[in-house]
């Protein structure tokens, strides 16, 4: 059963009814204002949909009739909520545009196909009519939405896969499943769990993203050290393109066509179905916390454990700034917590301390062995074992944090997220470079003298070669010109990352927000190869214009 979109926010994260417990706590806002160097944080609510005027829908009645003949009249919708919900993804820039009431990117209609054949027919029609098509999974993409410039196309369609959400087959012997691409995370995992399996792909956006979106963006779940990223568990895929169906098959030799689809961000076609590798539901699953004296030690423990024979299933290292920021929301620590903090400081876990979460999962014997070996390694590096408490807290809040970005935006606080990856030898230099670059960019863009941007860093998605770093940059919004402000901060952070040897992205992708750096990342020849593939599969250039390829 597809998710009921009418219960979701069209201009923010998740369920409209969700209430963030810090929203009404003025003591939290006073403290945050002081941290950001602001006298106060005032309410900055988004504009409501009923106040806004959407651009006139351009789909001609002849095109409408032809589309309706393919998918059925009920499957072609153009209400205001439908169009607004499909107007953007969920990057910070997307949210700023939506909240300000800029709906210029709204599609002219939303089409809900129910089979690969229908998708193929829609794309063939769109190609002949020069209508832009934007595949839509859950809409949680974090790198900017397609830009079907209104003058360049006859019309723009969002192609929403949410009604293609069937688990077609689970093969328990091969441990694989054949699944339609529009299935959302919870529906997929529930179906697999009922048969004793898991995909193990739990991105932070799990509740509101889809299998097709994970493949299109080459995503990585929180337990990627154990389950891998999309390219690891994807076995084969059906891609409906404007020129026909590409089925990648299972041939292990030769160039892997599935790797061209994985990470193609909807610019080549629409992923309609995939065969995915399954793992058994774990009997044992625990997440433990370790306090490390500093970032260097935390990263060293991550590296050595991933390069050992018995790596953990999950590793997440929050740096001291991230720890301090999160504690700031917990305004009333208990006496016991205060005592604990004092004791830790006394034992040398001071201002630079970082929190490392390590997860162990699988059959009991192997997972317990991994946990023991990890504890010995962490202890040898002076980390303090905190037990399962921090892991339980993480499990409770792991999918709730994205709501907080909206709460902060409601009080004039911006939250830009920049992520990267690097090999172990380069990783440690990156956070300092990003902090310095953001501090200089912030000076020029913050709303008043004395205001500050905070840079919180988290390392995760580790493997033998390296790990990802995610920077959450928190700053007072400049209400006049907040788009330019965000672009400046993002450009500064991205420039610093690339100069320090990091990649343009680890799992969010390129989208529109990273387009300017794409040639630097792939080189001209790389871009030409990608462009040639695009030209073959989408000669009219109707798929997701303005994304991935300049
Ligand atoms: C708060 C937050 C947390 C996030 N956490 C993570 C994380 O932990 N790990 C991670 O990997 N990502 C994360 N993301 C990014 C995002 O959730 C992923 O990129 C996700 O895979 C997108 O899936 P979706 O179904 O929402 O795709 P959408 O947002 O609908 O689409 C994303 C892109 O893929 C294309 N697309 C979607 N479906 C298809 C399809 N069937 N065929 C072809 N193209 C398609 C779209 O056209 C678009 O270009 C996060 C994003 C946010 C906002």
């Amino acid at each position: 059963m597809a998710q009921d979109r009418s219960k979701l926010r069209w201009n923010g994260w998740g369920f409209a009814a969700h209430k963030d417990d810090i929203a009404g706590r003025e003591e939290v806002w006073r403290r945050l204002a002081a941290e950001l160097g602001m006298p106060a944080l005032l309410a900055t609510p988004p504009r409501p949909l009923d106040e806004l005027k959407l651009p006139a829908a351009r789909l001609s009645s002849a095109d409408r009739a032809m589309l309706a003949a393919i998918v059925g009249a009920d499957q072609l919708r153009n209400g205001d909520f439908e169009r607004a919900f499909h107007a953007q993804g969920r990057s910070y820039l997307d949210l700023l545009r939506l909240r300000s009431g800029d709906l210029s990117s709204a599609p002219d209609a939303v089409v809900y196909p129910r089979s690969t054949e229908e998708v193929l027919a829609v794309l063939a029609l769109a190609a002949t009519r020069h209508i832009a098509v934007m595949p839509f999974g859950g809409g949680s993409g974090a790198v900017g939405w397609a830009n079907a410039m209104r003058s360049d196309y006859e019309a723009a369609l969002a192609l929403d896969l949410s009604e293609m959400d069937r688990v077609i087959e689970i093969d328990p012997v091969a441990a694989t499943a054949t699944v339609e691409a529009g299935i959302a995370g919870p529906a997929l995992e529930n179906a697999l769990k009922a048969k004793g399996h898991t995909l193990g792909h739990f991105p932070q956006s799990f509740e509101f993203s889809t299998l097709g979106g994970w493949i299109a963006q080459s995503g990585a779940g929180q337990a990627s050290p154990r389950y891998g990223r999309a390219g690891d568990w994807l076995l084969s895929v059906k891609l409906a393109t404007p020129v026909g169906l590409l089925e990648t098959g299972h041939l292990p030799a030769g160039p892997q066509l599935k790797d061209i689809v994985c990470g193609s961000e909807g610019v080549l076609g629409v992923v309609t179905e995939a065969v995915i590798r399954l793992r058994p539901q774990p009997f044992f699953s625990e997440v433990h916390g370790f306090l490390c004296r500093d970032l260097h030690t935390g990263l060293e423990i991550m590296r050595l454990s991933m390069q050992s024979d018995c790596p953990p299933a999950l590793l997440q290292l929050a740096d001291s700034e991230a720890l301090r920021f999160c504690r700031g929301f917990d305004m009333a620590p208990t006496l016991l917590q205060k005592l604990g903090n004092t004791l830790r400081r006394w034992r040398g876990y001071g201002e630079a301390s970082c929190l490392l979460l390590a997860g162990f999962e699988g059959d009991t014997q192997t997972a317990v062995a991994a946990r023991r070996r990890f504890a010995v390694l962490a202890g040898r590096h002076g980390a303090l074992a905190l037990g399962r408490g921090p892991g339980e807290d993480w499990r409770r809040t792991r999918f709730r944090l994205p709501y907080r970005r909206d709460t902060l935006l409601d009080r004039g606080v911006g939250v830009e997220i920049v992520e990267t990856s690097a090999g172990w030898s380069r990783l440690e230099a990156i956070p300092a470079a990003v902090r310095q670059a953001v501090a200089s960019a912030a000076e020029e863009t913050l709303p008043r003298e004395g205001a500050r941007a905070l840079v919180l860093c988290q390392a995760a998605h580790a493997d033998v070669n390296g790990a990802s770093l995610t920077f959450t940059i928190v700053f007072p919004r400049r209400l006049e010109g907040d788009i330019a402000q965000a672009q400046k901060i993002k450009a500064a952070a991205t420039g610093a990352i690339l100069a320090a040897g990091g990649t343009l992205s680890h799992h969010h992708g390129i989208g529109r927000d990273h387009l300017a750096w794409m040639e630097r990342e792939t080189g001209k020849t790389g871009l030409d190869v990608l462009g040639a593939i695009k030209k073959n599969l989408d000669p009219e250039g109707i798929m997701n214009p303005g994304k991935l390829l300049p």
Side-chain angles (χ1 to χ4, degrees):
M1 179 64 184
Q3 211 156 38
D4 180 359
R5 291 273 165 74
S6 67
K7 294 195 163 51
L8 304 184
R9 288 183 191 154
W10 64 274
N11 59 355
W13 191 254
F15 293 108
H18 179 88
K19 295 263 178 292
D20 188 339
D21 56 11
I22 64 162
R25 286 170 52 199
E26 284 309 314
E27 76 280 12
V28 170
W29 298 110
R30 274 196 297 277
R31 181 176 169 150
L32 186 56
E35 266 207 65
L36 296 174
M38 296 294 284
L41 295 170
L42 304 176
T44 48
R47 294 186 64 193
L49 187 56
D50 54 17
E51 253 184 28
L52 305 177
K53 194 165 160 43
L54 278 101
R58 294 166 302 165
L59 199 61
S60 70
S61 49
D63 289 336
R64 173 171 295 284
M66 283 190 277
L67 281 166
I70 297 168
V71 293
D74 290 352
Q75 303 300 99
L76 185 62
R77 301 168 199 162
N78 69 349
D80 282 0
F81 181 86
E82 279 288 344
R83 292 179 64 206
F85 185 84
H86 293 86
Q88 296 282 357
R90 293 295 177 264
S91 77
Y92 178 61
L93 282 174
D94 292 339
L95 291 186
L96 289 182
R97 292 190 182 104
L98 290 174
R99 293 172 62 96
S100 71
D102 175 1
L103 288 173
S104 55
S105 59
D108 297 295
V110 185
V111 58
Y112 287 84
R114 283 181 287 204
S115 67
T116 300
E117 292 68 34
E118 286 185 3
V119 175
L120 283 166
V122 169
L123 297 188
L125 173 69
T128 53
R129 297 287 308 118
H130 205 55
I131 294 173
V133 177
M134 299 171 283
F136 193 100
S140 72
V143 280
W145 211 236
N147 185 15
M149 288 296 288
R150 301 190 82 72
S151 53
D152 292 350
Y153 293 88
E154 292 294 317
L157 287 180
L159 191 142
D160 189 317
L161 278 294
S162 60
E163 294 189 27
M164 288 179 65
D165 63 346
R166 284 178 314 137
V167 176
I168 297 166
E169 188 198 6
I170 294 178
D171 179 340
V173 178
T176 62
T178 307
V179 188
E180 286 186 322
I183 193 163
L188 175 61
E189 275 300 330
N190 287 340
L192 298 180
K193 191 174 183 182
K195 303 281 181 192
H197 302 284
T198 180
L199 177 61
H201 189 83
F202 294 96
Q204 197 181 43
S205 55
F206 173 72
E207 294 170 285
F208 304 104
S209 57
T210 62
L211 176 64
W214 302 341
I215 296 168
Q217 295 301 113
S218 184
Q222 291 167 332
S224 63
R226 175 173 168 80
Y227 296 99
R229 59 188 302 163
D232 299 314
W233 47 250
L234 179 67
L235 299 179
S236 70
V237 63
K238 279 188 186 173
L239 184 79
T241 79
V243 296
L245 186 64
L246 174 72
E247 280 193 88
T248 65
H250 299 273
L251 177 70
Q256 296 297 296
L257 285 173
K258 77 177 174 84
D259 291 341
I260 291 169
V261 178
C262 196
S264 61
E265 302 196 359
V267 307
L268 303 179
V270 181
V271 175
T272 58
E273 208 177 288
V275 180
I276 54 179
R277 181 198 67 199
L278 306 180
R279 303 289 292 269
Q281 269 289 326
F283 277 108
F284 183 96
S285 179
E286 282 185 1
V287 178
H288 288 240
F290 295 84
L291 199 64
C292 306
R293 287 209 160 87
D294 51 33
L295 188 71
H296 170 75
T297 320
L299 290 175
E300 198 58 3
I301 297 170
M302 285 176 80
R303 176 179 75 80
L304 291 170
S305 64
M306 287 314 297
Q307 291 174 344
S308 77
D309 292 337
C310 207
L314 171 145
L315 282 171
Q316 284 193 356
L317 177 69
D319 80 343
S320 51
E321 194 71 355
L323 259 189
R324 208 179 45 74
F325 182 76
C326 293
R327 282 192 191 131
F329 291 118
D330 189 13
M331 295 298 291
T334 61
L335 194 62
L336 212 62
Q337 281 167 331
K338 279 188 193 158
L339 201 66
N341 291 341
T342 313
L343 264 175
R344 280 175 209 146
R345 268 198 298 277
W346 180 68
R347 289 181 62 183
Y349 299 92
E351 291 298 305
S353 299
C354 302
L355 177 66
L356 178 58
L357 293 178
F360 310 93
E361 202 162 291
D363 71 84
T364 309
Q365 203 182 359
T366 319
V368 168
R371 189 189 68 195
R372 289 205 183 112
R373 287 177 69 164
F374 185 88
V376 171
L377 172 72
R380 236 189 284 134
H381 284 78
L384 184 67
L386 302 174
R388 286 166 62 183
E392 295 305 318
D393 287 348
W394 170 78
R395 266 193 222 280
R396 223 175 0 88
T397 56
R398 65 194 286 202
F399 302 132
R400 256 194 263 154
L401 283 177
Y403 285 103
R404 187 138 296 172
R405 185 169 53 153
D406 292 351
T407 316
L408 290 167
L409 271 159
D410 287 344
R411 293 297 292 254
V413 179
V415 185
E416 177 60 283
I417 293 171
V418 183
E419 46 85 58
T420 181
S421 65
W424 289 114
S425 50
R426 289 176 179 226
L427 207 63
E428 201 180 327
I430 297 176
V434 170
R435 284 216 161 86
Q436 197 179 11
V438 169
S440 342
E443 242 170 57
E444 297 162 37
T445 64
L446 293 180
R448 70 194 301 271
E449 221 175 296
R452 275 184 296 278
L454 310 174
V455 180
L456 325 175
C457 175
Q458 187 196 58
H461 304 297
D463 61 25
V464 279
N465 305 312
S468 75
L469 294 172
T470 299
F471 297 96
T472 305
I473 307 170
V474 183
F475 51 94
R477 277 168 67 189
R478 193 180 193 113
L479 296 181
E480 300 295 316
D482 52 7
I483 300 243
Q485 178 190 36
Q487 283 168 332
K488 193 148 202 156
I489 289 176
K490 175 136 192 151
T494 306
I497 283 171
L498 296 179
T503 55
L504 185 49
S505 167
H506 173 266
H507 53 273
H508 282 179
I510 310 305
R512 189 170 157 195
D513 296 352
H514 292 154
L515 210 51
W517 295 276
M518 189 57 179
E519 183 167 344
R520 180 165 166 185
E521 186 72 75
T522 61
K524 185 171 175 316
T525 311
L527 266 191
D528 287 348
V529 171
L530 293 174
I533 296 171
K534 163 102 175 154
K535 207 150 185 60
N536 269 277
L537 296 177
D538 177 24
E540 302 302 322
I542 57 161
M543 298 303 309
N544 257 350
K547 287 199 89 162
L548 184 64
L549 296 171

